[in-house]
Amino acid sequence: MIQKKPVMSKTKSSESVKVVVRCRPLNRKEESNGPAGGIVQMDLRLGQVILRNPRASASEPQKTFTFDAVYDANSKQRDLYDESVRPLIDSVLAGFNGTIFAYGQTGTGKTYTMQGAWLDPEKRGVIPNAFDHIFTHISRSQSDKQYLVRASYLEIYLEEVRDLLDPNHGNARALELRENPESGVYVRDLTSCVCKSIKEIEEVMNVGNQARAVGATDMNEHSSRSHALFLITVECSQPGPDGRKHIRVGRLNLVDLAGSERQAKTGVQGERLKEAAKINLSLSALGNVISALADGRSSHVPYRDSKLTRLLQDSLGGNAKTVMVATLGPAPQHYDETLTTLRYANRAKNIQNQPRVNEDPKDALLREFQLEIARLRAQLNHRKWRSKQKKEQVDGGWEGDGDEETEGEEGEEEVEKEAEEYVKLQEQQLEREKQDIREDQFMLADEKQRLLGEKERMMGDLRKEQEATEQLTAKYKAMESKLLVGGKNITDHTNEQQKMLEMKRHEIAEQTRREREIQQQMLVQDDETVELRETFTSLQQEVEAKTKKLKKLYAKLQCIKAEIQDVNDEHVRSRQELEQTQNELTRELKFKYLIIENFIPPEEKNKIMNRLTFDPEEDQWKFQPLVPAESKSSQMKKRPSSAVGYKRPISQYARVAIAMGAHSRYRAENIMFLELDMTPPNTATLDCSTKSERNQIPSLDNSPTKDSGVCKSRSWCQTPKSITSSSSNVSLAACHTATPMTAQ
Ligand code: ADP
Ligand code: MG
């Protein structure tokens, strides 16, 4: 099937990342050990957060930040969802990519916001609400729409991507990140489960949650030690005006980040400290990406600095719609972290994305499913038709020219019924025939046996055929049930009242959002127009007004000065932390060096070092293979095809030698006799002064007693056997005389 290239949406406008802030209530521990009251105030109407510095004097101005929406300690999970998340999920259902991530210090409510308490309907977080939303939407959509929903769950733990749905999660290898121009960055070999209902997708989530790495720190008993990404892909197929089915694919990333935390505050050590260093590393990489994008001037965005930022590449500055939920704690002792979170969140507002609809992408699984279902259905129909035709033949109603096409108008159910009837009839008939054979008294016993056997075999064939059809039907039904069809009741609460209620809530949320936007715009305009409205009647009045303005500007200046001081302090603090991490790493490096220098032989070390290369794609050192892959085959010389059947390639000379018999002169191997020579050593010296005598040398061989020096072993030349030279062996004879001379 020809598939179109994904086309950009017609409205390729950019849209900024939506940033909302949520502050959790003071917890019991904070209430008991701190001064009463929090440091965070929120203006819900204006979407502002006002932060008080507990260490500063009362005269120092408070810091104010404005966001798309703010949620205070009394906010309900549902409020946040309806107002800030629902529009995003609607976009995903329309084929956009969407991301929601919770960012903030450990213990401020990221996991609470994303997941919440599953059992309490009031406290269900963004993820379970999104499940409800998606499946309710499908059940209410038109019946010509087909959906396929898939879910994956992964975590990034110690900078490794792990599949939380893999049953061998603990021992499994870390997964690799890949990039392709069409679907962007993706995880290779990630498990993906097709989900047909809310219950099924919740089950997937539960399985993954059980595998997730959590550990207690001083700040949160069930602190998430990894970044968790729950991915939902919703594919929707709908017939277009051109009559063909078009597929839209929306991908939703639900991200629960591990907390940003100061190592000193969480009181962690050892393995936990290592985790914290990695968590902080990827979070600082995230911070750098946000800064680079918000800045707008830097040409390089460091996505590749961490796995997290690579996975969120599309969500930050890419083609996705993104909502960031920054979570805060109200406790005065966490003022610095709260301020940092607010600063990041404030910066993230400036990130511009270019959301677009994914239309007819090549990798749509729904298309594959549809094709497979169509193939199975054709196979099944063919089988049933065959049975039906046979039945008609049996009934005598067979007209001989009816083909599948013309009879295709008949109802499928009727065909199925007829096919079943045919099988039943056949069975009955076979049974009857068997009975007749048994009762036939004129038939020989042998003949009877043979006929009965034949009928039995026919019966077996019939059953096999029926079983195959049943299996095919089961496969077809299983495949088809994975596709969700719009308009079918897959959720319980689809009654009208509920629908109305939801719509009203949606409207109210929309209205609140618009109201807030207008308020914010008014505030900005107020500041700008105040000068224009001022007209002075007297000098005194002018002085007063200008003094007031001066005061205001001075306050602003102080604010900015304080801000600069804060940023400097923050900078110093983060530098100190980096230095601490660096010291830690240097110490570890020294330890490893010590072991290498003292316990690994230098030549082994050099060998290893020469083989190592750095793979920037995977951010890891790798061993080069000992033998380069391409030269592996060329290392072994091929045997000449002429030498088949021989031990090894053999020369003409050796072949003649074989023909000559066992004379050792012609041996190709084992030419030395290594048995001990028991003859006593001979001390006679050999006079080789004359040329004529030298020519005689071969004759010495005839008597070992006249041999020169000590005879250590006997070679072939010491036990000559006379060979009868043939006329065809002239060269061999020449060789024979020459060789002993060279041997001397
Ligand atoms: P994080 O994931 O940011 O480390 P958690 O979501 O685990 O933090 O929250 C820590 C604790 O605070 C949990 O016990 C949670 O129930 C509670 N909590 C967080 N946010 C809220 C909130 N908005 N309302 C009530 N309790 C909250
Ligand atoms: Mg958490």
Side-chain angles (χ1 to χ4, degrees), residues 22 24-25 105-112 220:
R22 185 180 204 186
R24 69 157 167 76
Q105 193 194 357
T106 300
T108 49
K110 292 183 297 298
T111 307
Y112 180 84
N220 186 346

Side-chain angles (χ1 to χ4, degrees), residues 614-724:
F614 189 72
D615 181 354
E617 187 67 27
E618 286 189 39
D619 194 25
Q620 253 170 8
W621 286 95
K622 283 194 163 167
F623 276 108
Q624 273 176 342
L626 273 173
V627 181
E630 68 273 10
S631 68
K632 238 179 205 165
S633 54
S634 61
Q635 286 252 317
M636 282 276 271
K637 287 273 179 295
K638 269 182 114 177
R639 295 191 65 180
S641 46
S642 61
V644 180
Y646 292 119
K647 265 183 166 174
R648 61 173 69 161
I650 199 162
S651 65
Q652 186 66 29
Y653 173 81
R655 255 182 245 177
V656 173
I658 292 168
M660 297 297 292
H663 191 282
S664 39
R665 168 69 183 79
Y666 298 102
R667 284 201 189 161
E669 51 196 37
N670 296 340
I671 56 169
M672 297 277 277
F673 289 101
L674 295 174
E675 310 93 74
L676 271 179
D677 183 4
M678 302 307 282
T679 48
N682 196 331
T683 52
T685 53
L686 180 71
D687 189 1
C688 301
S689 57
T690 61
K691 199 173 177 237
S692 60
E693 272 169 337
R694 202 178 291 168
N695 284 342
Q696 298 295 311
I697 289 166
S699 64
L700 287 173
D701 293 341
N702 292 334
S703 55
T705 45
K706 279 190 239 163
D707 218 347
S708 64
V710 178
C711 182
K712 284 197 176 123
S713 68
R714 287 160 59 186
S715 79
W716 55 274
C717 61
Q718 288 165 325
T719 55
K721 277 186 190 152
S722 62
I723 46 164
T724 47

Side-chain angles (χ1 to χ4, degrees), residues 234-256:
V234 185
E235 298 184 7
C236 170
S237 132
Q238 188 181 20
D242 56 358
R244 284 181 45 204
K245 282 184 175 173
H246 289 279
I247 294 183
R248 289 181 167 199
V249 181
R251 297 190 189 88
L252 176 65
N253 304 322
L254 299 156
V255 190
D256 179 15

Side-chain angles (χ1 to χ4, degrees), residues 326-592:
T327 56
L328 310 174
Q333 59 266 40
H334 303 316
Y335 170 77
D336 293 332
E337 286 81 0
T338 308
L339 186 61
T340 313
T341 305
L342 284 170
R343 284 228 172 86
Y344 268 127
N346 205 32
R347 233 174 279 169
K349 280 194 312 189
N350 300 327
I351 299 177
Q352 293 291 322
N353 287 353
Q354 285 83 35
R356 63 175 163 87
V357 174
N358 304 310
E359 228 169 293
D360 289 330
K362 279 202 193 83
D363 56 354
L365 198 65
L366 185 58
R367 179 87 65 211
E368 278 174 38
F369 267 61
Q370 281 172 340
L371 290 177
E372 179 68 8
I373 287 171
R375 196 182 63 81
L376 286 174
R377 185 184 342 209
Q379 240 178 9
L380 208 58
N381 279 353
H382 182 68
R383 269 172 182 276
K384 284 176 185 163
W385 274 110
R386 243 180 19 212
S387 305
K388 184 179 174 253
Q389 283 173 351
K390 279 186 196 159
K391 178 174 176 274
E392 280 168 356
Q393 262 176 328
V394 172
D395 291 349
W398 172 245
E399 272 136 37
D401 58 1
D403 62 15
E404 286 176 29
E405 305 291 315
T406 53
E407 294 183 34
E409 286 138 32
E410 262 180 79
E412 239 174 70
E413 277 173 29
E414 199 184 323
V415 177
E416 199 170 327
K417 220 167 70 192
E418 291 215 21
E420 271 171 25
E421 263 174 35
Y422 164 71
V423 174
K424 246 184 242 155
L425 275 177
Q426 279 296 94
E427 268 183 16
Q428 282 167 5
Q429 193 177 338
L430 281 172
E431 209 49 63
R432 260 201 316 276
E433 282 171 9
K434 267 163 76 178
Q435 194 60 31
D436 288 348
I437 292 168
R438 271 193 220 106
E439 285 166 8
D440 195 341
Q441 287 160 359
F442 302 105
M443 211 182 271
L444 289 172
D446 267 5
E447 184 68 6
K448 245 187 201 175
Q449 208 59 41
R450 192 181 62 78
L451 282 177
L452 275 176
E454 205 168 281
K455 295 289 166 208
E456 203 60 56
R457 213 182 50 246
M458 278 165 83
M459 199 92 146
D461 284 351
L462 198 69
R463 282 207 192 107
K464 252 187 234 157
E465 178 94 349
Q466 202 183 356
E467 254 169 43
T469 311
E470 270 165 18
Q471 269 174 10
L472 206 63
T473 315
K475 200 171 161 196
Y476 167 71
K477 290 218 166 114
M479 281 297 266
E480 207 187 34
S481 74
K482 284 187 180 159
L483 294 192
L484 301 171
V485 181
K488 279 201 182 154
N489 197 5
I490 44 171
T491 48
D492 299 328
H493 45 79
T494 47
N495 57 46
E496 285 302 307
Q497 244 178 344
Q498 187 92 24
K499 237 190 217 171
M500 289 298 290
L501 201 72
E502 269 173 33
M503 245 164 65
K504 277 271 172 287
R505 256 208 319 243
H506 189 52
E507 269 170 30
I508 292 171
E510 189 64 31
Q511 208 162 347
T512 324
R513 207 173 42 238
R514 267 209 303 272
E515 218 171 275
R516 189 165 38 238
E517 264 169 31
I518 292 167
Q519 293 267 8
Q520 285 176 359
Q521 274 169 9
M522 266 167 60
L523 201 73
V524 174
Q525 274 168 4
D526 254 12
D527 271 356
E528 282 169 4
T529 52
V530 72
E531 242 165 84
L532 301 172
R533 278 195 265 114
E534 280 168 6
T535 44
F536 310 110
T537 47
S538 69
L539 221 55
Q540 181 65 28
Q541 209 179 3
E542 190 176 345
V543 169
E544 267 172 27
K546 294 238 158 122
T547 317
K548 221 162 105 188
K549 198 166 155 195
L550 187 69
K551 269 188 187 159
K552 211 169 162 188
L553 285 177
Y554 185 74
K556 232 179 192 170
L557 179 71
Q558 292 306 320
C559 261
I560 289 168
K561 271 191 179 163
E563 191 89 343
I564 292 171
Q565 185 60 37
D566 279 349
V567 173
N568 273 341
D569 289 352
E570 176 72 30
H571 191 74
V572 168
R573 235 186 345 257
S574 62
R575 209 186 67 201
Q576 278 169 354
E577 248 167 44
L578 281 177
E579 276 169 5
Q580 195 192 335
T581 316
Q582 192 191 3
N583 285 344
E584 195 75 35
L585 291 174
T586 315
R587 226 170 65 195
E588 204 168 305
L589 200 65
K590 279 183 182 161
F591 173 71
K592 298 256 157 86

Side-chain angles (χ1 to χ4, degrees), residues 107-313:
T108 49
K110 292 183 297 298
T111 307
Y112 180 84
T113 301
M114 292 308 290
Q115 305 210 13
W118 285 69
L119 298 177
D120 186 346
E122 283 286 303
K123 291 188 180 163
R124 283 157 72 86
V126 166
I127 294 177
N129 280 327
F131 294 167
D132 278 357
H133 184 166
I134 290 169
F135 285 99
T136 311
H137 173 92
I138 292 174
S139 74
R140 286 181 191 166
S141 60
Q142 287 150 9
S143 58
D144 61 348
K145 284 187 179 175
Q146 267 186 332
Y147 288 88
L148 184 73
V149 181
R150 281 180 287 157
S152 303
Y153 201 5
L154 63 90
E155 69 173 351
I156 306 174
Y157 180 69
L158 297 179
E159 271 304 283
E160 283 184 354
V161 179
R162 297 205 214 162
D163 189 348
L164 287 172
L165 303 179
D166 185 348
N168 307 320
H169 166 80
N171 312 318
R173 242 167 41 87
L175 299 179
E176 285 173 32
L177 295 188
R178 288 288 156 94
E179 193 165 357
N180 92 22
E182 198 164 302
S183 54
V185 180
Y186 67 98
V187 185
R188 220 178 100 178
D189 300 331
L190 184 67
T191 312
S192 148
C193 301
V194 174
C195 301
K196 291 178 290 191
S197 62
I198 298 175
K199 213 168 140 240
E200 276 187 26
I201 203 165
E202 280 181 356
E203 187 59 38
V204 170
M205 180 103 217
N206 280 339
V207 168
N209 276 347
Q210 274 158 25
R212 211 184 147 184
V214 289
T217 66
D218 288 358
M219 288 177 66
N220 186 346
E221 266 182 45
H222 303 286
S223 171
S224 322
R225 311 303 301 164
S226 63
H227 307 297
L229 273 80
F230 193 85
L231 317 173
I232 307 177
T233 313
V234 185
E235 298 184 7
C236 170
S237 132
Q238 188 181 20
D242 56 358
R244 284 181 45 204
K245 282 184 175 173
H246 289 279
I247 294 183
R248 289 181 167 199
V249 181
R251 297 190 189 88
L252 176 65
N253 304 322
L254 299 156
V255 190
D256 179 15
L257 296 180
S260 57
E261 50 203 358
R262 302 226 173 273
Q263 288 145 23
K265 254 191 191 164
T266 43
V268 292
Q269 276 178 342
E271 202 55 27
R272 287 264 172 280
L273 180 69
K274 226 195 248 171
E275 280 173 4
K278 293 272 190 186
I279 293 169
N280 281 353
L281 184 111
S282 46
L283 284 174
S284 72
L286 179 67
N288 293 340
V289 166
I290 292 176
S291 301
L293 286 167
D295 185 19
R297 274 173 299 172
S298 45
S299 56
H300 173 69
V301 181
Y303 290 117
R304 283 180 173 266
D305 281 3
S306 78
K307 297 261 161 43
L308 176 70
T309 44
R310 276 204 81 191
L311 274 171
L312 294 183
Q313 190 163 340

